Amino acid sequence: MTAEAREVYDTVIVGGGPAGLGAALYLGRSCRRVALVDSGDARNMAAGVMHNVVTNDGVTIADYRARARAELSRYTVEFLDDEVTRVAPEGERIVTTTRGAGTLTSRTVIYAAGVRSRLPEVPGLAELWGKGVFECPYCHAYEVRGGSFGVYGGSVPGECLAATLTAWTSSITYLSDGRRLPEEERGRLDAAGVPVVADAVLGVAAHPDGVEVKLGDGRSLALTALFLHLETEPRVAPLRPWLTAEDLASVQTDERGRTSLPRLYVAGDLGRTMQQAAMAAASGGLAAMSVNADLVREDRPGALFDLPPAAH
Ligand SMILES: Cc1cc2nc3c(=O)[nH]c(=O)nc-3n(C[C@H](O)[C@H](O)[C@H](O)COP(=O)(O)OP(=O)(O)OC[C@H]3O[C@@H](n4cnc5c(N)ncnc54)[C@H](O)[C@@H]3O)c2cc1C
């Protein structure tokens, strides 16, 4: 091995959530040299635990991450508790700059930095996020099944959150916060048997049974849990100006994390994956397999089938 090759990682993984850890496991087991950089503030940290993780349902996030790292210590995976500030191509390499450790040079990067949930600006909501105020029914509704649920704001998309929640309770109220509902949305809620409260939502606060919602007409609504329709924001700052959030959605060319940018792969919540931990971990594995195959292609031209041309 040349001195240059020793200094260059096969892959730098940005993000040590389920996606980054999944990618690291596949690449470590592919005898690849990997650096995984993680700043330690996962999207779901407020919830403390993760459900729907087979053999680990209800595992604490800290425990999940610690056990993943212990498993990975068997392989050629280095961990850096650090923040990536810049990822940029440099010829046949990618240079990743971190706040603490300086620069890391690699042949490929798997970008798995996740997304941020954009909470509506309702007083008290952020304090109860993950503790009475939730987004995902599959992650949280079982623990509060049979209770009184509220669903707040946003539009009612194809997969209507309020209707979905009828699997866990028959007591659901849709809070439109003064928004006039289009006919189609109102029809979905009617079909689900979900009443609408149209008053402004002034704030939320902790309540002995869950969450208290303060309404514009002076009334309060006591709920076991409040579910939100949310927008999310991909955490792409280190990729700018190479790539913007809008670009990121369009550069992913296949379900295996490849992008139309050379040597950059994406995995997890900020890719095309359904935003769930197990799916994120699986998409990390898929991106890792793409990386490995593409490095074999590069090192042994003609040994693997060529990739089909990018879809766009
Ligand atoms: C409140 C809440 C509860 C949830 N509960 C569940 C659940 O019970 N079950 C379930 O399946 N899903 C749950 N989810 C969804 C789940 O959290 C995500 O689908 C999953 O965490 C996505 O994994 P990821 O690796 O893509 O991103 P993340 O888990 O968000 O990990 C991304 C990592 O990248 C790091 N990072 C970001 N930027 C940088 C940078 N510049 N430099 C270095 N590191 C960086 C972050 O620190 C973070 O550790 C929940 C989500 C929320 C919001």
Side-chain angles (χ1 to χ4, degrees):
M1 195 186 271
T2 65
E4 198 259 354
R6 267 201 301 272
E7 286 164 11
V8 174
Y9 292 96
D10 290 311
T11 307
V12 166
I13 299 172
V14 182
L21 292 166
L25 187 56
Y26 273 75
L27 285 173
R29 291 183 52 76
S30 307
C31 307
R32 295 293 177 184
R33 196 178 161 207
V34 176
L36 185 153
V37 191
D38 184 59
S39 58
D41 57 329
R43 180 178 176 214
N44 55 346
M45 220 45 118
V49 297
M50 283 196 287
H51 290 284
N52 299 314
V53 179
V54 175
T55 75
N56 265 311
D57 183 43
V59 65
T60 68
I61 295 157
D63 192 26
Y64 175 89
R65 288 181 168 222
R67 281 201 269 150
R69 285 194 183 206
E71 280 173 8
L72 285 164
S73 66
R74 294 201 283 270
Y75 307 110
T76 45
V77 178
E78 289 170 39
F79 283 98
L80 287 88
D81 291 310
D82 203 342
E83 185 189 347
V84 169
T85 53
R86 186 167 179 269
V87 177
E90 213 173 278
E92 297 293 286
R93 303 283 181 249
I94 298 191
V95 175
T96 299
T97 308
T98 77
R99 216 170 272 290
T103 59
L104 306 166
T105 305
S106 58
R107 300 175 72 189
T108 57
V109 162
I110 296 180
Y111 197 82
V115 300
R116 282 195 195 286
S117 303
R118 210 184 287 149
L119 293 182
E121 287 182 10
V122 173
L125 209 59
E127 289 76 1
L128 293 177
W129 177 232
K131 306 165 193 73
V133 175
F134 308 111
E135 176 188 14
C136 165
Y138 299 98
C139 307
H140 304 290
Y142 186 81
E143 280 63 39
V144 285
R145 65 194 181 281
S148 306
F149 296 177
V151 175
Y152 173 86
S155 63
V156 180
E159 200 177 318
C160 177
L161 178 56
T164 305
L165 283 166
T166 58
W168 288 271
T169 188
S170 54
S171 170
I172 302 170
T173 307
Y174 184 78
L175 300 158
S176 76
D177 197 9
R179 190 170 66 93
R180 210 182 128 75
L181 297 185
E183 200 77 350
E184 200 249 351
E185 287 185 27
R186 172 68 80 160
R188 283 181 196 284
L189 294 168
D190 286 348
V194 172
V196 176
V197 168
D199 302 83
V201 172
L202 302 184
V204 299
H207 178 274
D209 296 329
V211 180
E212 180 185 20
V213 178
K214 293 168 191 151
L215 298 171
D217 68 354
R219 281 184 305 145
S220 290
L221 214 57
L223 300 170
T224 320
L226 179 64
F227 285 83
L228 308 176
H229 281 288
L230 280 184
E231 300 284 322
T232 58
E233 213 173 291
R235 301 177 70 177
V236 290
L239 295 173
R240 293 194 187 104
W242 189 20
L243 206 59
T244 65
E246 292 71 40
D247 294 336
L248 192 64
S250 63
V251 292
Q252 187 176 345
T253 55
D254 67 13
E255 301 307 322
R256 294 173 172 235
R258 290 191 178 89
T259 72
S260 54
L261 295 164
R263 302 177 183 280
L264 182 78
Y265 301 73
V266 294
D269 276 6
L270 54 55
R272 284 194 203 147
T273 317
M274 177 75 87
Q275 295 183 351
Q276 289 285 287
M279 279 70 151
S283 78
L286 284 170
M289 286 194 277
S290 299
V291 164
N292 188 53
D294 294 348
L295 292 179
V296 170
R297 267 186 193 93
E298 189 168 290
D299 294 338
R300 294 178 170 53
L304 281 178
F305 291 110
D306 287 338
L307 286 174
H312 58 87

